[in-house]
Amino acid sequence: MSADAAKVKLELTAKHFASDQDPRWCPGCGDYSILAQVKKVLAKIEAKRENTVFVSGIGCSSRFPYYVGTYGFHGIHGRALAIAVGIKVAQPELSVWVVTGDGDGLSIGGNHLLHTIRRNPDINILLFNNRIYGLTKGQYSPTSPLGKKTKSTPMGSVDFPLHPLSVAIGAEATFVARSIDVNVKHLAYVLERAARHKGASFVEIYQNCNIFNDLAFEYATAKTTKDETTIYLEHGRPLVFGKDRNKGIRLDGMDPEIVELGDGITEDDLLFHNEKQEEPSLAYLLSRMRHPDFPEPMGVFRCVERPVYEDLVMDQINEASRQQPGRLEDLFDEGETWIVE
Amino acid sequence: MVVSTRLNGAQPRCVEVISLGETTVRFAGDSGDGMQLAGTQMTTTSAIFGNDVSTLPDFPAEIRAPAGTLAGVSGFQLHFGSHRLRTPGDRVNALVAMNPAALSANLSDLEPGGVLIVNEDAFTKMDLSRAGYSADPLENRSLDGYQLFRVPMGKLTAEACKDTGLTGRAVGRCKNFFALGLVYWLYDRPLAPTLRWIEQKFGSKPVVADANIKTLKAGYHFGETTELFTVRYEVAPAKVPPGKYRRVSGNEALAIGLITAAQRAGKPLFYGSYPITPASDILHFLAKHKNFDVRTFQAEDEIAAMTATIGAAFAGAFAVTGTSGPGMALKSEAIGLAVMTELPMVIVNVQRAGPSTGLPTKTEQADLLQAIWGRNGENPVCVLAAATPADCFDMAIEAFRIAIGFMTPVVLLADGYLANGAEPWRIPDMDSLPRLDVKHPGPVEGFKPYQRNDKLVRPWALPGTPGLEHRVGGLESRDITGEVCYEPENHEHMCRIRRRKIDNIAEAIPPLEINGDDSGELLVIGWGSTYGAITSAVERCRKKGMSVSSAHLRYLDPMQKNVGDVLRRFCRVLVPELNLGQLAYRLRAEYLVDATGFHKIQGKPFTISEIEAEIAKRLNK
Ligand code: SF4
């Protein structure tokens, strides 16, 4: 098959994952691009519609399940992850995706995010971060920067923001990654990696809300600035960035610093990325590299193996059943019984 | 008619034997004194002996209250008799008090002239002052109104353990067996069941087993040989239906019922729960029975427990969440999601005294209206309530039968009194158990998730089935197709359909039965754990010739079709409840009858005599 034919096939099969509903996001919303990439990835990994479930909470991003032709569950605010865990425990073989946002996943549903990540069920968590409440029409969110002026913060936010990846790494997520809605190739790459990871995959996607927080990520997407403000992670490779790829990240003790290559500094002096490092400190350090002080890392921060929750649950059930198959007669007779004649 | 072994028939000296139809004994001591163990042993022994039994433990709210204080008193009450019993007993006829605090906390429940056995070794100056006594009640004649027996249990236990090799504090921990042995003598109970139990329990620790056996026997022989006791009692076996029996608490019966329902349907049982008193024992029981494909999920909070249960139901498991009132409050938004998505599941509320944290270890029935109406929007669910500890088994199965038959969440109400109270349970035949047939649609063209059958029930389509891919959620759906729909007429249509579907359940449940005459002056109607006290009180009043009957509601929403008819056949309706009148409010609103309440909210169940007195008052007797 020619490359073109393959592309056509991929696009056809991506359509296979469309539902009969037309997306109703605002024109120009970053969610459209994410939806397109997710459908493409589903086609690429040859997902089965009947074995795939999309789960969401409340918010603009949470309309997602209605637009995918798989099984879908549109939950209540913040609770998508708990719903997903219930699905996964009941039917471990299903492929479960959770779509959430910065408000849904980090504010009202923050507790579930921590606990789902630590349990490590094999689900894919996509957090669309637009740093604003869109559906409720423009209040600041847990990821809005300090001083952000919104409808509920006319004098600027006095809340220090939360950083999704730092939170996920703090809870020792086994897969942590970041991408941007408009960088479709990279987004598809990250989504595919997340889908193929066995365990809880956490992906933060910078998503532009052109209505209430337009251009929030312009620094990371604009042609003129993006090479200086982002850095693309590759496993086993040094952290190099810049339009001329002449800058890098070096460790000064425990602190990252930006250095220029040349003048005695070579790539060998730079920090080398290791997504497989069990110890999460390096990934955490990367998650703390933030605009405007540092270029923001994109890609897979961390990808390690750990037993997954539903397997452990089923192992115990199988072991208990092996030791003593469950018979109701035995259950009724537990403890002391007596006969009345 | 009862198989039992009575080792100890002979009377060695002249003691009067008094026959009792029923009696109530309470063991009370420090939470470390092993009173629950003594109480359950006496219960099993009495049940094996052939008595009907009903029990209630009384735990301190604090886990490790300082020893010897009132806050640390733990009690266990046992009512046993030669006829059908339905409650753990109104008045205590015999009290065993292991220390001054136990005496102080329990004396008011002992009947005047009742048997009072105290461990006099624990009445030291320090223990007396910890319990708030300024003078020793054993010395100041304040206990003259009771049959006081002072027994140096500490010393006698140490004596009994002398040659066993057990030393130090471990000896002190045998004291409960001394008290138990003495009570066994007093009520002419066989020792064999407890001896068997000790051997099984401490098989790997022969020294401990030996010491407990010797102490138990020493207590028994103390009663037999000392001149202290001139009377002992006998309680003949009861006439109970033949069969195999065991003891169950309400929480055990409920958990067994859930497993049974799932097994009869060939389904995994999912139980999502956050630890909360008094429901946690259901989680513990289920977690021990994973060999029945029980998938327990101790969630991070009540909301996660509820929403994970919804997810599990969506994916086809028999899904249950269990909690108490405060957890119910947290789950209410998610219960609405379960109503909107029309998925089958069971929500257990083991009620406790509220509001807020309230009295966590004490019982109450004040969550009825919360269960029926405590959610935003028009939000109907089916609400059931169990009446006795053993009834929790049947109602758990019934809850699932309705949940899958009508694709609806079902709230099952129990309470702390049912949860911890225990009674004999006749083990059912496998053939008598209902079969729960679940139908899931197979692959079809043009599947519609809200296409309803004649009972308005939608199909339970499972992820994993090709061709049935569909989306459900908390936004209003268009009927039949299930797509999001904001149209005003559709919303009203859906609200009415969801309500009518619940009302349709009334067609699938048995009618309300009346205990006593079909009509008369007074109907006493209740729900939940007041069953025993109401039924017994009404029986007593009928024996005295009063025109009174009773009825007990297990279905609170919808109610049985004949409830209005039953209510109208009586001149007056009395509704005893452990709340301030929630069922009475519902009956008045629904049936326009002048039902009046009788309320108690002390964290304690009704006694039979309280209801008896109220009936007499209402009938001007
Ligand atoms: S409000 Fe913002 S996030 Fe929501 S759909 Fe519109 S553009 Fe997208």
Side-chain angles (χ1 to χ4, degrees), chain A residues 24-32 59-61 130 132-135 137-138 207-213:
Chain A
R24 294 210 197 144
W25 291 305
C26 308
C29 175
D31 290 357
Y32 285 98
C60 291
S61 61
N130 55 17
I132 198 79
Y133 280 81
L135 194 69
K137 300 195 166 68
Q207 175 245 324
N208 192 40
C209 169
N210 52 312
I211 302 296
F212 295 109
N213 200 17

Side-chain angles (χ1 to χ4, degrees), chain A residues 25 31 56-66 74 99-101 104:
Chain A
W25 291 305
D31 290 357
S56 65
I58 295 291
C60 291
S61 61
S62 290
R63 297 301 175 91
F64 204 93
Y66 291 117
H74 182 208
V99 179
T100 183
D104 190 63

Side-chain angles (χ1 to χ4, degrees), chain A residues 66 74, chain B residues 339-342 378 450 452 472-479 481-498:
Chain A
Y66 291 117
H74 182 208
Chain B
V339 167
M340 282 297 247
T341 51
E342 302 191 38
E378 294 293 344
Y450 284 80
R452 300 167 188 281
V472 292
L475 283 171
E476 187 62 278
S477 323
R478 187 185 295 285
D479 199 16
T481 63
E483 75 210 35
V484 174
C485 177
Y486 297 123
E487 288 166 18
E489 289 78 13
N490 177 72
H491 176 56
E492 175 158 343
H493 172 73
M494 290 297 271
C495 284
R496 288 182 185 278
I497 276 206
R498 286 188 287 262

